[in-house]
Amino acid sequence: ETGVTQTPRHLVMGMTNKKSLKCEQHLGHNAMYWYKQSAKKPLELMFVYNFKEQTENNSVPSRFSPECPNSSHLFLHLHTLQPEDSALYLCASSQDRLSETQYFGPGTRLLVL
Amino acid sequence: GENVEQHPSTLSVQEGDSAVIKCTYSDSASNYFPWYKQELGKRPQLIIDIRSNVGEKKDQRIAVTLNKTAKHFSLHITETQPEDSAVYFCAASSPGSNYKLTFGKGTLLTVNP
């Protein structure tokens, strides 16, 4: 499937590194989301963008910094992460903020050493 | 905010049997209830959803039922097949939560041949 793509698929980083996750959607959607998926926990919504404007920050630590330059692209900039930040980071998109049906990307598996 | 509880956390069935996964929600204003399937190493994919104005929806071997009074909804899979093995997530959203999806913790379904 190529509707929502994410790169890289796997990432290992040290606590002092800076890296970025990229998400791209080819569905013509206007809303994009970042989720964190950890073992034995529900999917946690991190950020929401609607028409390039951030509409939600779910009390996410500042070491995670999102960027949405246009409706098709979403980035998550990472710096000075902690080992407990290791997880699968999923991007999703929907037609707009009022459309509940979300389409997910394959995720980036992040390991922080 | 919304709270979604999902049970069981693991479910093992024989091929051909039925499987039922149940979710309860706390916000009586919730009006959209999707179910996602996530196979190992893959993205969550929407398999069926239901809105609060209907009580049941079917799509081939999959059905979802909603009881608004009791605030619970269930996923029913009939004639299970090994390829149904995956983690299934329920979710709920309401206008009051800005249509944010709140997910359950997931159910690992294993269908034994």
Side-chain angles (χ1 to χ4, degrees):
Chain A
E1 295 182 40
T2 58
V4 182
T5 59
Q6 288 184 245
T7 54
R9 294 295 309 279
H10 301 272
L11 179 62
V12 180
M13 60 187 290
M15 289 189 284
T16 58
N17 290 157
K18 288 185 180 181
K19 296 287 184 183
S20 295
L21 310 185
K22 179 182 176 182
C23 175
E24 185 173 359
Q25 58 92 4
H26 308 273
L27 301 170
H29 289 168
N30 295 300
M32 296 187 77
Y33 310 78
W34 279 118
Y35 285 90
K36 177 183 180 182
Q37 187 175 34
S38 305
K40 301 190 188 305
K41 294 177 71 174
L43 277 164
E44 299 173 58
L45 180 65
M46 300 175 72
F47 301 104
V48 181
Y49 278 82
N50 193 39
F51 291 91
K52 302 188 297 179
E53 298 296 320
Q54 184 175 314
T55 59
E56 188 141 354
N57 176 338
N58 225 25
S59 302
V60 180
S62 59
R63 57 186 184 270
F64 295 91
S65 175
E67 179 189 0
C68 188
N70 54 61
S71 293
S72 299
H73 294 86
L74 185 64
F75 296 89
L76 188 63
H77 304 299
L78 317 171
H79 64 98
T80 60
L81 294 192
Q82 304 298 310
E84 58 264 32
D85 296 322
S86 300
L88 181 68
Y89 288 85
L90 289 162
C91 173
S93 71
S94 65
Q95 184 62 50
D96 54 48
R97 192 62 186 92
L98 301 182
S99 302
E100 303 100 332
T101 304
Q102 296 181 20
Y103 299 85
F104 285 86
T108 295
R109 175 71 61 186
L110 174 66
L111 177 62
V112 182
L113 300 176
Chain B
E2 175 69 277
N3 183 47
V4 176
E5 298 285 340
Q6 182 172 347
H7 298 280
S9 56
T10 61
L11 179 60
S12 182
V13 299
Q14 289 300 121
E15 183 176 0
D17 287 351
S18 295
V20 181
I21 302 170
K22 298 181 180 180
C23 288
T24 60
Y25 60 98
S26 60
D27 185 353
S28 57
S30 289
N31 59 1
Y32 175 68
F33 308 92
W35 285 90
Y36 284 84
K37 174 185 180 182
Q38 187 175 26
E39 296 177 45
L40 186 62
K42 296 193 175 181
R43 73 190 72 200
Q45 289 195 296
L46 179 70
I47 55 171
I48 195 167
D49 56 13
I50 192 168
R51 297 189 183 274
S52 57
N53 57 345
V54 298
E56 184 175 2
K57 184 176 179 180
K58 285 184 179 181
D59 183 2
Q60 299 183 344
R61 297 186 296 108
I62 294 173
V64 57
T65 58
L66 171 65
N67 183 326
K68 286 192 297 182
T69 303
K71 291 191 285 187
H72 68 70
F73 57 110
S74 300
L75 178 71
H76 305 255
I77 306 175
T78 59
E79 300 171 27
T80 53
Q81 301 167 2
E83 52 265 37
D84 294 329
S85 296
V87 177
Y88 291 81
F89 295 94
C90 64
S93 80
S94 73
S97 66
N98 280 330
Y99 301 94
K100 180 173 64 175
L101 284 178
T102 300
F103 286 86
K105 289 186 177 182
T107 296
L108 173 61
L109 173 65
T110 303
V111 180
N112 301 300

